[in-house]
Amino acid sequence: MTGYGSASSGAPATGPSGDGAGGVTVDIRSVNGRFLDLVLRLPDDLRGLEPALRELLGGAVRRGKIELRLNVQKDADAGWPQPSPDQLSRLSQLESGVRCWLPTAVPLSVHEVLQWCRGGTPAAKQDGAAMAAARLAVADFVAAREREGARLATLLRDQITHLRTLVAQAEPLIPDVVARQQQRFLDRWNEALAQANGGAAVSAEAIQERALNEATAFAIRIDVAEELARLRSHLDEVERLLDRGGELGKRLDFLMQELHREANTLGSKSAALELTNISVDMKVAIEQMREQVQNIE
């Protein structure tokens, strides 16, 4: 199922209290897929979050090829802290105390001063911002997929209505097909007997009985009442699953196979062009449903 979600957390480190953690943006997008395929694109310094992100995504979705992209935004000087006067005064006092006892101690460098004044643990703060953004993006992504799922459910219900109409059209055709075939048998028997012996050796009752027997056997061969009943039953189950919601993609996929099997049998038993056309229309509608069902989680 297609979907997209995006969220940001934190802000680029600026000002006197900047710690260089930076703001984090997470984008999640998915395309249709029968199975779950996760692709994570992370900066090198956030690779350690991959297991947690996979667990987060795996708990929210079950199907689809999903790509999560995480970006960190920083200002040009966001990585450099701005030491406060209090911090510098405190470091100066500490350095003086150390050099009083250890005169040969090396003075603090500018880099060391900046490291001491950085404050907090930027890596931990950045990890926290990344996970917060990821959770927001997943929620946005799931909401988008739910909207897409509702749209697909509407399309499936429309196709179910269409299939029910086709089933209703097929049912009254069966008696007419049998009646036409019975008359066809009678006509052929009469023609064959007339050519063989002028029709004198066989009574009209015998001809009628034989024709009725042939028509009965034919009616049994083309009886599609069970196929139509199973089609209705499968359509009822599809509607029940759509009403229930939840994870139903695989069950719907199986039902599409069953619907196609019944429609195919209907076509193979068809003895009239009308039934053949109905069978073809059914298979077209079912194939369209199957393509949509493969997108549903």
Side-chain angles (χ1 to χ4, degrees):
M1 185 183 302
T2 58
Y4 177 80
S6 179
S8 298
S9 180
T14 57
S17 61
D19 57 16
V24 179
T25 298
V26 176
D27 296 311
I28 304 174
R29 65 185 73 242
S30 70
V31 294
N32 301 328
R34 296 183 61 186
F35 307 100
L36 182 61
D37 182 12
L38 301 179
V39 178
L40 305 184
R41 305 191 185 281
L42 311 175
D44 290 340
D45 54 349
L46 291 176
R47 285 291 178 187
L49 294 179
E50 183 168 339
L53 291 172
R54 286 187 176 277
E55 182 179 358
L56 179 64
L57 282 171
V61 294
R62 295 292 183 272
R63 302 177 81 180
K65 183 175 181 179
I66 301 170
E67 177 183 316
L68 182 148
R69 188 179 296 272
L70 193 152
N71 296 307
V72 179
Q73 302 88 32
K74 294 184 179 181
D75 287 344
D77 59 351
W80 299 101
Q82 301 294 326
S84 67
D86 290 341
Q87 288 177 317
L88 294 175
S89 175
R90 179 59 177 161
L91 276 176
S92 177
Q93 293 175 8
L94 291 173
E95 183 183 28
S96 297
V98 170
R99 290 177 63 83
C100 180
W101 289 95
L102 302 172
T104 59
V106 178
L108 288 172
S109 67
V110 173
H111 176 72
E112 290 170 335
V113 170
L114 292 177
Q115 290 296 321
W116 279 103
C117 294
R118 185 174 292 275
T121 55
K125 291 184 178 181
Q126 195 171 67
D127 288 355
M131 290 305 300
R135 284 189 284 269
L136 292 174
V138 167
D140 188 36
F141 174 70
V142 170
R145 282 167 63 96
E146 288 176 350
R147 292 191 295 270
E148 176 71 4
R151 186 186 68 81
L152 292 178
T154 299
L155 294 177
L156 290 176
R157 293 182 191 279
D158 291 342
Q159 293 289 12
I160 290 173
T161 300
H162 178 52
L163 285 170
R164 290 191 187 279
T165 301
L166 293 175
V167 171
Q169 292 175 359
E171 283 182 320
L173 293 176
I174 305 302
D176 294 339
V177 171
V178 173
R180 289 201 303 267
Q181 191 65 20
Q182 180 178 343
Q183 186 60 45
R184 188 178 297 116
F185 281 136
L186 285 171
D187 295 341
R188 289 180 179 178
W189 274 105
N190 288 329
E191 291 176 4
L193 290 173
Q195 293 176 0
N197 52 16
V202 181
S203 65
E205 291 78 7
I207 295 173
Q208 182 75 12
E209 181 180 356
R210 180 61 183 272
L212 288 174
N213 289 337
E214 293 289 343
T216 301
F218 175 77
I220 293 174
R221 289 198 304 273
I222 68 169
D223 182 23
V224 293
E226 290 187 8
E227 284 76 12
L228 295 178
R230 283 195 289 266
L231 277 167
R232 279 202 175 96
S233 176
H234 296 329
L235 292 174
D236 289 342
E237 179 64 10
V238 172
E239 281 193 310
R240 187 188 71 81
L241 290 175
L242 292 176
D243 291 337
R244 188 190 70 182
E247 295 180 18
L248 44 85
K250 292 183 179 179
R251 290 182 61 85
L252 288 177
D253 198 17
F254 171 76
L255 287 170
M256 293 305 107
Q257 298 177 28
E258 295 301 306
L259 285 169
H260 189 274
R261 180 180 292 111
E262 302 304 336
N264 202 43
T265 304
L266 176 66
S268 65
K269 287 186 174 183
S270 174
L273 182 60
E274 301 92 329
L275 283 175
T276 300
N277 291 337
I278 288 176
S279 173
V280 171
D281 290 342
M282 283 183 174
K283 286 189 279 189
V284 170
I286 293 168
E287 180 62 21
Q288 291 173 347
M289 292 177 69
R290 187 187 66 82
E291 292 176 357
Q292 298 298 335
V293 161
Q294 290 184 347
N295 304 333
I296 295 177
E297 183 172 317

